[in-house]
Amino acid sequence: MILKEGQFIDNKWHVVYLIKNNPYAESYRVEDESGNPYFMKIYRLKNTPEKLIENGSVKEIAWSLVIKHKNIISLVDNGSYSDEEGDCCYLVANYFSGELLSEMIQRKGKLSVKTATRIFLEMLQGLQYMHNLGSGCLHNDITPTNVMLSSKTGGTAELIDLGHVSAFFMGTPPFDTADLDPRYASGQSFIGKYDEHNDIFAATGVFYTMLTGRVPWDVEFTPEMTRKEKIKLVQKVRSDKGEINVNDIKDEKLRNVISRGLALGYHERYNSVEEMMADLIEGDNSKVAKEVRTKLAADNPDDDVEDDIFGTFDQPSDDTNSNSTRSQAATETSADVEIKRGGGNGFADIAGMDELKELLRKRVILILQDKELAEKYKLTPPNGMLLYGPPGCGKSFFAEKFAEETGFNFILVKASDLGSIYIHGSQGKIADLFKKAEENAPTVLCFDEFDAFVPSRSGDLGSNQAGEVNEFLTQLNNCSKRGIFVIATSNRPDKVDPAVLRTGRIDKQVYVPMPDTIARKLMFELYLKGRPCEGIDSDALAEKADGYVASDIAYVVNEAATIAAYNHENITQDLLIKTIEGIKPSINKDLLKEYEEMRDKMEGISRNNSLPHVGFL
């Protein structure tokens, strides 16, 4: 033990007893001079893992100093302590005076709709504050055991245990994951993606438990299971059962909210806490709902009210409104994009396109990866590449695999990511996007449907949109020198501003055609790999799927797999053939002819340094 019962820390905290400990931190109940109870957590710095420390401070303490909200446990004090074994640092928070939500559920079995909804809304208030704090932060460990119903405030819900708080990130978690409960975690967190979706998913899982008395998907663990085994079990149960069963929740609105909040598909969930709260309070006239509704209305940028949602409760200082305004302004000029960091199988995941892969290895990847060779031969690093052609042929997928092949970080950008309701707001986001790419260099920046970003200025463009094109031109100029390689994808390259497609900007153009027979055969084998199959002839399937693009083939395989799963049967050749016959290809002959004419036109005006038209074998 670091501390002893009866000991005084800084002459103001009396140690009462040890609550729990681990190799680097211990938690105690302490009292102040008046005998009021508090919670103390103390870290032995020499034993604390490096990933829990940033700039010489323990992250939990640093975050606790910033976070101030009525629905999040409050920091009361912090300080340092030393003994013969070394230096320590500690935080003091309000004591857990009340009942843990897990204890209430265990006692009652399940909660009334009114009580559960109130607690859920109060949890969401805390999360909304965290997600909008500065550049955003996440709780990462929302379960019934980390929600306290404080007796000091009449049962108000507070999120506790800030030991896993972090900024948004993708990759290796900057905190211990051994004590996280996978039953309340979204699938993307299992592969290292932590954003607001994960907190919303977990909070919705807690809401489901409050209403039903059960954990999501009824997953139960045994005491001896490792975290890896727990995750594997959760993934299997979700895969076997599919979307969460909400049939025993009577209220239709709540069923819809929970179904969307716990959707297995990432893009099917709520994008923000505010969006979820708006659905939850619709038609609700309770005191909490009215409070939420009032603050949501006040968040309209056209109004005179400058508070962010629940802003009057967020900050103890008089600067709340100005901080909120500055935060909102920063958000409007910040590009909200996800950075995928390394990993993956690269070109090995792509069926066909061998000529394109080999060409890029020789003409692009070699120069990007071997700086000494490039310097020796005075080779100029390539700046960018345009992948164009019919939709569904895997252009964006190829860009992601290119990043994996080079070992670069990867950012996929859609037009909506750079949208803004403010004049010049998008230009600020464009500049911020390239800044983030440079800070995380080497980076592949992939712009999906590039014609939407940089439409030709010869058309009828407004001044704002023309300004955005000019900002792109500025940022694209020799961006390879900043460690950025741009890949643009487009189904309509003829709509792209010609100034973008010149040397020093997007200086290489590649036509990605329809997959031929060999490519289609490899696609069927790739998409069927790992599924229960019987008697598959991929050559025959490739012949039958003449005219089908990559997305068509992926859809065919998934549709056949769904039918087979429903009947608890293997995927057979006959089932795949029938599925192909029932699904029309997405590209008809007339449309394909248009793309081939577009290719001929693009190659006719291409520059000498453009890559030749290549694609699937």
Side-chain angles (χ1 to χ4, degrees), residues 364-383:
V364 178
I365 296 175
L366 176 66
I367 302 174
L368 292 175
Q369 290 185 330
D370 196 334
K371 295 186 181 298
E372 291 184 4
L373 185 68
E375 186 176 345
K376 178 179 179 181
Y377 287 90
K378 300 186 183 302
L379 300 175
T380 303
N383 206 64

Side-chain angles (χ1 to χ4, degrees), residues 423-581:
I423 296 174
H424 307 310
S426 291
Q427 291 175 240
K429 287 190 173 185
I430 294 165
D432 180 69
L433 173 67
F434 277 84
K435 180 181 178 182
K436 287 180 178 177
E438 183 176 2
E439 289 173 347
N440 292 275
T443 302
V444 169
L445 257 181
C446 176
F447 294 96
D448 194 28
E449 299 180 5
F450 194 50
D451 46 288
F453 292 95
V454 285
S456 176
R457 287 168 295 174
S458 62
D460 185 20
L461 289 186
S463 60
N464 289 340
Q465 198 167 10
E468 292 163 14
V469 175
N470 289 332
E471 182 66 34
F472 257 108
L473 296 177
T474 300
Q475 295 295 335
L476 285 169
N477 281 332
N478 301 311
C479 62
S480 62
K481 294 180 180 179
R482 292 180 280 159
I484 303 170
F485 184 75
V486 174
I487 298 182
T489 73
S490 178
N491 302 327
R492 294 302 306 268
D494 54 321
K495 301 293 184 182
V496 174
D497 193 280
V500 175
L501 304 177
R502 73 156 176 79
T503 303
R505 291 175 180 153
I506 307 296
D507 43 22
K508 297 185 184 298
Q509 302 172 17
V510 181
Y511 179 72
V512 181
M514 299 274 286
D516 67 3
T517 306
I518 296 176
R520 294 195 300 274
K521 165 186 164 67
L522 294 173
M523 286 178 188
F524 274 109
E525 292 174 352
L526 181 66
Y527 296 143
L528 287 168
K529 185 178 180 181
R531 305 185 194 236
C533 299
E534 179 182 343
I536 302 298
D537 183 349
S538 55
D539 289 303
L541 292 174
E543 292 290 343
K544 187 69 176 178
D546 184 24
Y548 288 66
V549 295
S551 59
D552 294 334
I553 295 173
Y555 183 79
V556 165
V557 171
N558 194 63
E559 187 71 11
T562 301
I563 295 171
Y566 182 80
N567 295 317
H568 297 281
E569 298 173 347
N570 289 336
I571 304 170
T572 63
Q573 182 79 0
D574 183 58
L575 175 58
L576 286 164
I577 293 294
K578 288 180 179 179
T579 306
I580 293 172
E581 291 173 347

Side-chain angles (χ1 to χ4, degrees), residues 61-136:
I61 297 176
W63 280 112
S64 298
L65 287 167
V66 175
I67 296 171
K68 307 285 185 183
H69 193 275
K70 70 186 183 79
N71 296 116
I72 304 173
I73 188 170
S74 301
L75 182 74
V76 175
D77 191 20
N78 70 290
S80 58
Y81 169 80
S82 298
D83 59 15
E84 62 272 13
E85 291 196 31
D87 296 332
C88 303
C89 59
Y90 67 83
L91 63 85
V92 178
N94 289 326
Y95 195 72
F96 300 162
S97 56
E99 186 177 32
L100 290 177
L101 179 58
S102 57
E103 295 170 346
M104 177 182 282
I105 295 171
Q106 186 176 11
R107 176 167 54 84
K108 293 188 174 183
K110 57 182 179 181
L111 310 186
S112 68
V113 170
K114 181 179 180 180
T115 300
T117 304
R118 175 187 63 80
I119 293 172
F120 186 44
L121 275 170
E122 289 170 347
M123 292 166 56
L124 292 179
Q125 291 183 38
L127 281 181
Q128 189 276 339
Y129 166 78
M130 292 181 71
H131 292 175
N132 289 282
L133 183 65
S135 59

Side-chain angles (χ1 to χ4, degrees), residues 220-227 229-230:
E220 295 295 336
F221 299 146
T222 59
E224 66 273 12
M225 291 180 72
T226 64
R227 173 170 167 77
E229 290 170 338
K230 291 177 181 178

Side-chain angles (χ1 to χ4, degrees), residues 339-351:
I339 302 174
K340 180 182 177 184
R341 302 185 184 278
N345 299 318
F347 285 165
D349 285 341
I350 300 176

